[in-house]
Amino acid sequence: MTDPSLSGRPEPGAGGRTAPEPPSPGPLAGLRVLDLATLFAGPLAATLLGDYGAEVIKVEHPHRPDPSRGHGPAKNGVGLWWKLLGRNKKTVTVDLSHPDGRDVLLRLAAGADVVVENFRPGTLERWGLGWEELSARNPGLVLARVTGFGQFGPYARRPGFGTLAEAMSGFAAITGEPDGPPTLPPFGLADAIAALTTSYAVMAALHRRTATGRGQVIDLALIEPMLTVLGPQPLWYDQLGHVQPRTGNRSANVAPRNTYRTADGSWVAVSTSAESVAGRVMRLVGRPEVIDEPWFATGAGRARHAEELDGAVADWIARHDRAEVLAAFEKAEAAVAPIYDIREVMADPQYQALDSITEVPDEELGTVRMQNVLFRLSETPGGIRWAGRPHGADTDEVLAGIGLTGPEIDALRAAGAL
């Protein structure tokens, strides 16, 4: 078990959570990131950098805030999604299409390490804010460009959203029941995967900069990370002509693997990727004889007998309450998990031990609970310093930091640039 003192997260006490310690500066302290992006991959990539100490400046249009502020449920008129997506970010308003706004952005970029944007290809260039202008001001800048289809190719100028990537990558085609329609995820899966990939790409580019002193452009298309996480499907098709079908909750590669309903109406998930685990499951459910079958030795062989194996597991689980199923599987050292909704996630003792859902003070809502930073670092763990800030709350402070005086900021605001 990880020593909580190394996690950078508070350990729950006898009466519940202890008061959170102030977050450490984080390993990315000293980096400045300009987040020009909206909905959702680009902004989330910037959030991940901010979680580990980068100073993130969120640049929004003066009259058209990031749409995530209005997505999903709100409390007292305050969008809750933004509280997560905007955490650890200073918020400023700049109209990038305004000539004076362009100049402000160039001044900000001169002192930045990273710019994240997701406009359609050619938009920044039209405003005089393309790579040529940005790199001239700051040769060490890393420009991360996150779009649906990349910066070139026949689809480059199409509007791109995560749903399209989930459809075109092959994900939707293999998701759902065999006799049902292709199924899309009910959340931003492609955007989240692209955000993780973008933050990784930024780190790779910054590492290279330490050797050369030069920045570079990251061209990330939403369709490509989704394609990568689908595994060896291109190889299978290239070498065998194999097209993976929809199999519902079953796996085309191993069995038994499914979701199963318990006697008390709950659900559990069972995984048997390893032969040894599959054997333990079949002994537990009263079918040890199948273990000696030649086909049982491989995942592909078990998958061909999924009906028999799945049926045996489903019948046994259906005769027991969820607590009994979980206890029996744990005793047998077989892999099982309860299927949670968010209420059970929030109450689970393992998530509580890890502080996976943590409390964050907020000036608008008091205290909010949200997902903690992604991983624990023993020396520089990072943390959540604040939840998403109001629109433009830090404009004056940030612009004063690049040398603009109060009267100059007032004049820019009067001109419509801020």
Side-chain angles (χ1 to χ4, degrees), residues 36 59 94-99 101-107 109 115 117 119 122-135 137 141 143 145:
L36 315 185
V59 179
V94 182
D95 183 348
L96 303 183
S97 66
H98 191 289
R102 168 190 179 274
D103 293 340
V104 168
L105 194 283
L106 287 173
R107 290 181 67 167
V115 171
E117 66 96 0
F119 299 105
T123 301
L124 283 186
E125 286 76 8
R126 190 170 69 249
W127 293 337
L129 291 170
W131 177 241
E132 183 177 347
E133 292 85 358
L134 291 172
S135 61
R137 288 292 184 101
L141 188 69
L143 174 61
R145 316 195 77 166

Side-chain angles (χ1 to χ4, degrees), residues 21-211:
E21 294 293 328
S24 78
L28 302 183
L31 285 178
R32 174 173 280 193
V33 178
L34 302 183
D35 174 9
L36 315 185
T38 60
L39 292 179
F40 282 99
L44 181 55
T47 302
L48 298 175
L49 299 173
D51 283 351
Y52 290 94
E55 178 191 15
V56 180
I57 298 172
K58 175 70 177 181
V59 179
E60 298 175 83
H61 191 277
H63 308 297
R64 296 190 297 276
D66 189 310
S68 67
R69 291 181 180 272
H71 266 57
K75 181 180 180 181
N76 300 331
V78 178
L80 298 178
W81 202 329
W82 168 251
K83 289 297 175 185
L84 175 68
L85 193 63
R87 72 189 193 188
N88 292 334
K89 298 181 182 182
K90 298 177 179 178
T91 62
V92 306
T93 58
V94 182
D95 183 348
L96 303 183
S97 66
H98 191 289
D100 293 337
R102 168 190 179 274
D103 293 340
V104 168
L105 194 283
L106 287 173
R107 290 181 67 167
L108 286 169
D113 298 283
V114 181
V115 171
V116 181
E117 66 96 0
N118 69 340
F119 299 105
R120 290 196 203 183
T123 301
L124 283 186
E125 286 76 8
R126 190 170 69 249
W127 293 337
L129 291 170
W131 177 241
E132 183 177 347
E133 292 85 358
L134 291 172
S135 61
R137 288 292 184 101
N138 183 352
L141 188 69
V142 171
L143 174 61
R145 316 195 77 166
V146 184
T147 57
F149 303 103
Q151 296 294 311
F152 58 91
Y155 304 158
R157 293 186 179 274
R158 291 184 181 180
F161 296 97
T163 297
L164 308 187
E166 289 148 8
M168 291 182 63
S169 63
F171 171 84
I174 63 171
T175 305
E177 295 299 324
D179 56 352
T183 302
L184 296 167
F187 64 98
L189 178 62
D191 284 292
I193 293 172
L196 290 164
T197 309
T198 301
S199 61
Y200 165 63
V202 166
M203 291 293 94
L206 290 173
H207 180 72
R208 178 60 179 168
R209 189 182 70 173
T210 62

Side-chain angles (χ1 to χ4, degrees), residues 342-359:
I342 191 59
R343 294 168 295 185
E344 293 170 301
V345 169
M346 301 281 270
D348 182 86
Q350 181 62 33
Y351 282 122
Q352 290 180 352
L354 297 174
D355 198 32
S356 303
I357 308 293
T358 197
E359 293 182 350

Side-chain angles (χ1 to χ4, degrees), residues 307-318:
E307 286 289 343
E308 178 182 359
L309 299 177
D310 236 5
V313 175
D315 288 346
W316 186 90
I317 288 177

Side-chain angles (χ1 to χ4, degrees), residues 220-312:
L220 188 136
L222 290 180
I223 56 176
E224 291 182 308
M226 277 299 296
L227 183 59
T228 295
V229 300
L230 292 181
Q233 290 191 52
L235 271 168
W236 289 342
Y237 180 73
D238 175 61
Q239 296 297 307
L240 302 171
H242 175 72
V243 178
Q244 183 170 327
R246 287 193 291 281
T247 57
N249 289 322
R250 287 179 175 172
S251 169
N253 307 307
V254 296
R257 188 266 197 180
N258 212 323
T259 61
Y260 306 92
R261 191 164 191 169
T262 62
D264 56 352
S266 298
W267 291 85
V268 298
V270 172
S271 176
T272 60
S273 296
E275 179 191 352
S276 59
V277 175
R280 292 175 201 145
V281 170
M282 299 317 296
R283 290 188 189 95
L284 174 62
V285 303
R287 292 293 307 277
E289 73 279 1
V290 299
I291 299 170
D292 297 325
E293 295 289 346
W295 50 261
F296 196 86
T298 66
R302 295 194 300 277
R304 289 193 295 270
H305 291 78
E307 286 289 343
E308 178 182 359
L309 299 177
D310 236 5

